[in-house]
Amino acid sequence: ARTISANGVCPAFAHTRRQLFNMYHERYLSECERLSDEASAKDGAAFKMMPFECSSNGMSGTFGWAKIKARLLKLHESLRAEIETWRRQGAEQTRLLRASHDASVNSCVHYLLQQEERIKREIPEGASIGADPANACV
């Protein structure tokens, strides 16, 4: 059985969706601004019926750029808060590791440190790669 979230989206891609949203957030906001200034798509203006639509299969409704913008900002704020939580947890894990409390450190931190050592030996020419000394997870 395939796991599906409440909104019909497979949770396996949640991380990818977060990354893409974070990458394109500014673009989404600028498109909201641009489209809300168009005469045919002003906030509250009714959708225009397209040539392939008829009354029984049309997409009725109005443009709601202000609501979309508010939702985008709320989503971005929530994502930034989640990222800050990860940063705090990573810094705490790094602090525990440096204090030699290995039993309290998440196994993924050990894996990240192993990967950092591997990368140090295999750094591509002209690249600067490495973890933040205060936070092994960043």
Side-chain angles (χ1 to χ4, degrees):
R2 191 172 128 201
T3 308
I4 297 180
S5 70
N7 64 359
V9 178
C10 180
F13 298 104
H15 181 71
T16 303
R17 286 192 311 271
R18 284 183 183 107
Q19 282 183 317
L20 290 171
F21 178 80
N22 211 26
M23 283 173 38
Y24 292 109
H25 173 255
E26 292 298 322
R27 175 62 190 242
Y28 297 152
L29 289 177
S30 68
E31 284 300 299
C32 279
E33 291 296 322
R34 184 183 69 78
L35 292 168
S36 67
D37 290 338
E38 283 190 15
S40 62
K42 287 262 186 223
D43 220 12
F47 294 151
K48 180 180 153 190
M49 188 173 279
M50 302 306 289
F52 55 84
E53 293 179 313
C54 65
S55 59
S56 64
N57 76 343
M59 293 294 291
S60 60
T62 59
F63 291 100
W65 302 115
K67 282 184 179 179
I68 291 173
K69 185 176 178 181
R71 288 177 60 198
L72 286 171
L73 291 170
K74 186 175 179 181
L75 280 169
H76 189 252
E77 181 182 315
S78 173
L79 182 60
R80 298 307 303 168
E82 186 176 345
I83 290 169
E84 278 308 309
T85 299
W86 296 340
R87 286 182 188 273
R88 281 193 305 278
Q89 289 172 348
E92 176 63 16
Q93 291 286 299
T94 303
R95 188 190 64 72
L96 289 170
L97 186 67
R98 292 226 167 84
S100 299
H101 296 292
D102 284 3
S104 302
V105 176
N106 192 321
S107 63
C108 74
V109 174
H110 291 291
Y111 175 77
L112 288 171
L113 292 173
Q114 290 170 357
Q115 294 306 309
E116 183 181 6
E117 288 302 316
R118 182 185 62 80
I119 288 170
K120 283 179 184 175
R121 292 188 306 272
E122 303 171 6
I123 290 182
E125 190 176 322
S128 173
I129 302 172
D132 181 336
N135 190 338
C137 298
V138 177

Short mmCIF file of all heavy atoms in Angstrom, two decimals, residues 64-99:
data_model
loop_
_atom_site.label_atom_id
_atom_site.label_comp_id
_atom_site.label_asym_id
_atom_site.label_seq_id
_atom_site.Cartn_x
_atom_site.Cartn_y
_atom_site.Cartn_z
N GLY A 64 -7.67 35.88 -6.40
CA GLY A 64 -7.47 36.22 -5.00
C GLY A 64 -5.99 36.33 -4.66
O GLY A 64 -5.48 35.56 -3.85
N TRP A 65 -5.32 37.29 -5.29
CA TRP A 65 -3.87 37.43 -5.12
C TRP A 65 -3.48 37.78 -3.68
O TRP A 65 -2.47 37.29 -3.19
CB TRP A 65 -3.31 38.47 -6.10
CG TRP A 65 -3.60 38.11 -7.51
CD1 TRP A 65 -4.39 38.80 -8.40
CD2 TRP A 65 -3.12 36.96 -8.22
NE1 TRP A 65 -4.42 38.14 -9.61
CE2 TRP A 65 -3.66 37.01 -9.51
CE3 TRP A 65 -2.31 35.89 -7.88
CZ2 TRP A 65 -3.40 36.04 -10.48
CZ3 TRP A 65 -2.05 34.91 -8.83
CH2 TRP A 65 -2.59 35.00 -10.11
N ALA A 66 -4.26 38.57 -3.01
CA ALA A 66 -3.94 38.94 -1.63
C ALA A 66 -3.95 37.71 -0.72
O ALA A 66 -3.07 37.53 0.12
CB ALA A 66 -4.92 39.99 -1.12
N LYS A 67 -4.95 36.83 -0.92
CA LYS A 67 -5.03 35.61 -0.12
C LYS A 67 -3.86 34.67 -0.44
O LYS A 67 -3.28 34.07 0.45
CB LYS A 67 -6.34 34.87 -0.38
CG LYS A 67 -7.53 35.47 0.31
CD LYS A 67 -8.76 34.62 0.07
CE LYS A 67 -9.96 35.18 0.76
NZ LYS A 67 -11.17 34.37 0.51
N ILE A 68 -3.54 34.57 -1.73
CA ILE A 68 -2.43 33.70 -2.13
C ILE A 68 -1.12 34.22 -1.54
O ILE A 68 -0.32 33.45 -1.01
CB ILE A 68 -2.34 33.59 -3.66
CG1 ILE A 68 -3.54 32.80 -4.19
CG2 ILE A 68 -1.03 32.94 -4.10
CD1 ILE A 68 -3.66 32.77 -5.70
N LYS A 69 -0.92 35.54 -1.62
CA LYS A 69 0.30 36.13 -1.08
C LYS A 69 0.39 35.88 0.43
O LYS A 69 1.45 35.51 0.95
CB LYS A 69 0.34 37.62 -1.38
CG LYS A 69 1.63 38.28 -0.96
CD LYS A 69 1.67 39.74 -1.36
CE LYS A 69 2.95 40.39 -0.90
NZ LYS A 69 3.00 41.81 -1.25
N ALA A 70 -0.72 36.05 1.14
CA ALA A 70 -0.74 35.81 2.59
C ALA A 70 -0.40 34.35 2.90
O ALA A 70 0.36 34.06 3.83
CB ALA A 70 -2.09 36.18 3.16
N ARG A 71 -0.94 33.42 2.10
CA ARG A 71 -0.64 32.00 2.30
C ARG A 71 0.82 31.70 2.03
O ARG A 71 1.46 30.94 2.76
CB ARG A 71 -1.54 31.14 1.41
CG ARG A 71 -2.98 31.11 1.89
CD ARG A 71 -3.88 30.33 0.96
NE ARG A 71 -3.45 28.95 0.85
CZ ARG A 71 -3.83 28.14 -0.14
NH1 ARG A 71 -4.63 28.58 -1.08
NH2 ARG A 71 -3.42 26.90 -0.17
N LEU A 72 1.38 32.30 0.96
CA LEU A 72 2.79 32.10 0.64
C LEU A 72 3.69 32.60 1.78
O LEU A 72 4.65 31.93 2.16
CB LEU A 72 3.16 32.83 -0.65
CG LEU A 72 2.66 32.21 -1.95
CD1 LEU A 72 2.91 33.16 -3.12
CD2 LEU A 72 3.31 30.86 -2.21
N LEU A 73 3.36 33.77 2.31
CA LEU A 73 4.16 34.33 3.40
C LEU A 73 4.07 33.47 4.66
O LEU A 73 5.07 33.24 5.34
CB LEU A 73 3.72 35.77 3.70
CG LEU A 73 4.06 36.78 2.60
CD1 LEU A 73 3.38 38.11 2.87
CD2 LEU A 73 5.56 36.95 2.45
N LYS A 74 2.87 32.96 4.94
CA LYS A 74 2.68 32.10 6.12
C LYS A 74 3.45 30.79 5.95
O LYS A 74 4.11 30.32 6.89
CB LYS A 74 1.20 31.83 6.34
CG LYS A 74 0.89 31.08 7.59
CD LYS A 74 -0.61 30.94 7.81
CE LYS A 74 -0.88 30.17 9.07
NZ LYS A 74 -2.31 29.99 9.31
N LEU A 75 3.40 30.20 4.76
CA LEU A 75 4.15 28.97 4.49
C LEU A 75 5.65 29.20 4.63
O LEU A 75 6.37 28.39 5.23
CB LEU A 75 3.86 28.46 3.08
CG LEU A 75 2.56 27.70 2.89
CD1 LEU A 75 2.28 27.49 1.40
CD2 LEU A 75 2.63 26.36 3.60
N HIS A 76 6.13 30.31 4.09
CA HIS A 76 7.56 30.61 4.16
C HIS A 76 7.99 30.82 5.61
O HIS A 76 9.04 30.33 6.03
CB HIS A 76 7.87 31.85 3.30
CG HIS A 76 9.32 32.09 3.16
ND1 HIS A 76 9.96 33.13 3.78
CD2 HIS A 76 10.27 31.42 2.48
CE1 HIS A 76 11.24 33.08 3.47
NE2 HIS A 76 11.46 32.06 2.69
N GLU A 77 7.18 31.53 6.37
CA GLU A 77 7.49 31.76 7.78
C GLU A 77 7.56 30.43 8.54
O GLU A 77 8.47 30.20 9.34
CB GLU A 77 6.42 32.66 8.39
CG GLU A 77 6.63 32.99 9.84
CD GLU A 77 5.49 33.86 10.38
OE1 GLU A 77 5.09 34.83 9.70
OE2 GLU A 77 5.01 33.55 11.48
N SER A 78 6.62 29.54 8.25
CA SER A 78 6.60 28.23 8.89
C SER A 78 7.84 27.41 8.51
O SER A 78 8.45 26.76 9.37
CB SER A 78 5.33 27.49 8.47
OG SER A 78 5.34 26.17 8.93
N LEU A 79 8.21 27.45 7.25
CA LEU A 79 9.40 26.73 6.79
C LEU A 79 10.66 27.29 7.42
O LEU A 79 11.53 26.54 7.86
CB LEU A 79 9.49 26.80 5.26
CG LEU A 79 10.65 26.07 4.62
CD1 LEU A 79 10.60 24.58 4.93
CD2 LEU A 79 10.62 26.29 3.11
N ARG A 80 10.77 28.60 7.51
CA ARG A 80 11.95 29.22 8.14
C ARG A 80 12.04 28.83 9.63
O ARG A 80 13.12 28.57 10.14
CB ARG A 80 11.92 30.75 8.01
CG ARG A 80 11.95 31.29 6.60
CD ARG A 80 13.06 30.79 5.73
NE ARG A 80 14.37 31.05 6.30
CZ ARG A 80 15.48 30.51 5.85
NH1 ARG A 80 15.46 29.71 4.82
NH2 ARG A 80 16.63 30.78 6.42
N ALA A 81 10.89 28.76 10.31
CA ALA A 81 10.88 28.35 11.72
C ALA A 81 11.34 26.90 11.85
O ALA A 81 12.10 26.57 12.77
CB ALA A 81 9.48 28.52 12.30
N GLU A 82 10.91 26.05 10.93
CA GLU A 82 11.33 24.65 10.95
C GLU A 82 12.84 24.54 10.73
O GLU A 82 13.52 23.78 11.43
CB GLU A 82 10.58 23.88 9.86
CG GLU A 82 10.82 22.40 9.87
CD GLU A 82 9.97 21.68 8.83
OE1 GLU A 82 9.01 22.25 8.30
OE2 GLU A 82 10.31 20.52 8.56
N ILE A 83 13.37 25.32 9.80
CA ILE A 83 14.81 25.31 9.52
C ILE A 83 15.58 25.80 10.74
O ILE A 83 16.62 25.23 11.10
CB ILE A 83 15.12 26.16 8.27
CG1 ILE A 83 14.59 25.45 7.02
CG2 ILE A 83 16.61 26.43 8.15
CD1 ILE A 83 14.60 26.29 5.76
N GLU A 84 15.08 26.83 11.41
CA GLU A 84 15.75 27.32 12.62
C GLU A 84 15.77 26.26 13.72
O GLU A 84 16.74 26.13 14.45
CB GLU A 84 15.10 28.61 13.12
CG GLU A 84 15.58 29.84 12.40
CD GLU A 84 17.11 29.96 12.36
OE1 GLU A 84 17.75 29.86 13.43
OE2 GLU A 84 17.65 30.13 11.26
N THR A 85 14.69 25.49 13.82
CA THR A 85 14.64 24.40 14.79
C THR A 85 15.72 23.37 14.46
O THR A 85 16.44 22.90 15.35
CB THR A 85 13.25 23.74 14.79
OG1 THR A 85 12.28 24.71 15.16
CG2 THR A 85 13.19 22.55 15.74
N TRP A 86 15.87 23.03 13.18
CA TRP A 86 16.92 22.08 12.77
C TRP A 86 18.29 22.64 13.11
O TRP A 86 19.16 21.90 13.56
CB TRP A 86 16.85 21.81 11.28
CG TRP A 86 15.61 21.15 10.79
CD1 TRP A 86 14.71 20.43 11.53
CD2 TRP A 86 15.13 21.15 9.46
NE1 TRP A 86 13.69 19.99 10.72
CE2 TRP A 86 13.93 20.41 9.44
CE3 TRP A 86 15.58 21.69 8.27
CZ2 TRP A 86 13.20 20.20 8.29
CZ3 TRP A 86 14.85 21.48 7.13
CH2 TRP A 86 13.68 20.74 7.13
N ARG A 87 18.49 23.95 12.88
CA ARG A 87 19.80 24.55 13.18
C ARG A 87 20.10 24.48 14.68
O ARG A 87 21.22 24.15 15.07
CB ARG A 87 19.84 26.00 12.71
CG ARG A 87 19.94 26.16 11.22
CD ARG A 87 20.01 27.64 10.86
NE ARG A 87 19.92 27.85 9.45
CZ ARG A 87 20.95 27.83 8.61
NH1 ARG A 87 22.16 27.60 9.07
NH2 ARG A 87 20.78 28.03 7.33
N ARG A 88 19.10 24.78 15.50
CA ARG A 88 19.30 24.71 16.95
C ARG A 88 19.61 23.28 17.39
O ARG A 88 20.52 23.05 18.20
CB ARG A 88 18.07 25.23 17.70
CG ARG A 88 17.99 26.75 17.75
CD ARG A 88 16.95 27.22 18.75
NE ARG A 88 15.61 26.67 18.53
CZ ARG A 88 14.73 27.15 17.65
NH1 ARG A 88 15.02 28.19 16.92
NH2 ARG A 88 13.55 26.59 17.53
N GLN A 89 18.87 22.32 16.85
CA GLN A 89 19.11 20.92 17.20
C GLN A 89 20.49 20.48 16.74
O GLN A 89 21.20 19.77 17.47
CB GLN A 89 18.04 20.02 16.57
CG GLN A 89 16.68 20.18 17.20
CD GLN A 89 15.59 19.43 16.44
OE1 GLN A 89 15.79 18.96 15.32
NE2 GLN A 89 14.42 19.33 17.06
N GLY A 90 20.91 20.90 15.55
CA GLY A 90 22.24 20.56 15.04
C GLY A 90 23.33 21.14 15.89
O GLY A 90 24.34 20.48 16.19
N ALA A 91 23.15 22.40 16.31
CA ALA A 91 24.16 23.04 17.17
C ALA A 91 24.24 22.31 18.51
O ALA A 91 25.34 22.10 19.04
CB ALA A 91 23.81 24.51 17.38
N GLU A 92 23.11 21.90 19.06
CA GLU A 92 23.09 21.17 20.32
C GLU A 92 23.77 19.81 20.15
O GLU A 92 24.56 19.39 21.00
CB GLU A 92 21.66 20.98 20.82
CG GLU A 92 21.52 20.16 22.08
CD GLU A 92 22.20 20.77 23.30
OE1 GLU A 92 22.54 21.96 23.29
OE2 GLU A 92 22.39 20.02 24.28
N GLN A 93 23.48 19.12 19.05
CA GLN A 93 24.12 17.83 18.78
C GLN A 93 25.64 18.00 18.66
O GLN A 93 26.41 17.19 19.18
CB GLN A 93 23.56 17.21 17.49
CG GLN A 93 22.13 16.77 17.59
CD GLN A 93 21.99 15.51 18.41
OE1 GLN A 93 22.54 14.47 18.05
NE2 GLN A 93 21.27 15.60 19.51
N THR A 94 26.08 19.06 17.98
CA THR A 94 27.51 19.33 17.83
C THR A 94 28.15 19.62 19.18
O THR A 94 29.25 19.14 19.48
CB THR A 94 27.73 20.50 16.85
OG1 THR A 94 27.10 20.17 15.61
CG2 THR A 94 29.20 20.76 16.62
N ARG A 95 27.45 20.39 20.01
CA ARG A 95 27.96 20.70 21.35
C ARG A 95 28.12 19.41 22.16
O ARG A 95 29.14 19.20 22.82
CB ARG A 95 27.02 21.67 22.06
CG ARG A 95 27.58 22.19 23.39
CD ARG A 95 26.54 22.95 24.19
NE ARG A 95 25.41 22.13 24.62
CZ ARG A 95 25.47 21.19 25.58
NH1 ARG A 95 26.59 20.94 26.20
NH2 ARG A 95 24.40 20.50 25.91
N LEU A 96 27.13 18.53 22.10
CA LEU A 96 27.20 17.26 22.83
C LEU A 96 28.35 16.40 22.31
O LEU A 96 29.06 15.76 23.09
CB LEU A 96 25.89 16.49 22.70
CG LEU A 96 24.69 17.05 23.46
CD1 LEU A 96 23.41 16.33 23.05
CD2 LEU A 96 24.92 16.95 24.95
N LEU A 97 28.55 16.41 21.01
CA LEU A 97 29.64 15.63 20.41
C LEU A 97 30.99 16.14 20.89
O LEU A 97 31.87 15.37 21.27
CB LEU A 97 29.55 15.69 18.89
CG LEU A 97 30.52 14.83 18.12
CD1 LEU A 97 30.20 13.36 18.35
CD2 LEU A 97 30.45 15.15 16.64
N ARG A 98 31.14 17.46 20.90
CA ARG A 98 32.41 18.05 21.33
C ARG A 98 32.66 17.82 22.83
O ARG A 98 33.79 17.77 23.27
CB ARG A 98 32.41 19.54 21.02
CG ARG A 98 32.45 19.80 19.54
CD ARG A 98 33.46 20.84 19.15
NE ARG A 98 33.68 20.83 17.72
CZ ARG A 98 32.91 21.46 16.85
NH1 ARG A 98 31.89 22.17 17.25
NH2 ARG A 98 33.18 21.38 15.56
N ALA A 99 31.58 17.70 23.59
CA ALA A 99 31.71 17.45 25.03
C ALA A 99 31.84 15.95 25.32
O ALA A 99 31.77 15.53 26.47
CB ALA A 99 30.51 18.03 25.76
#
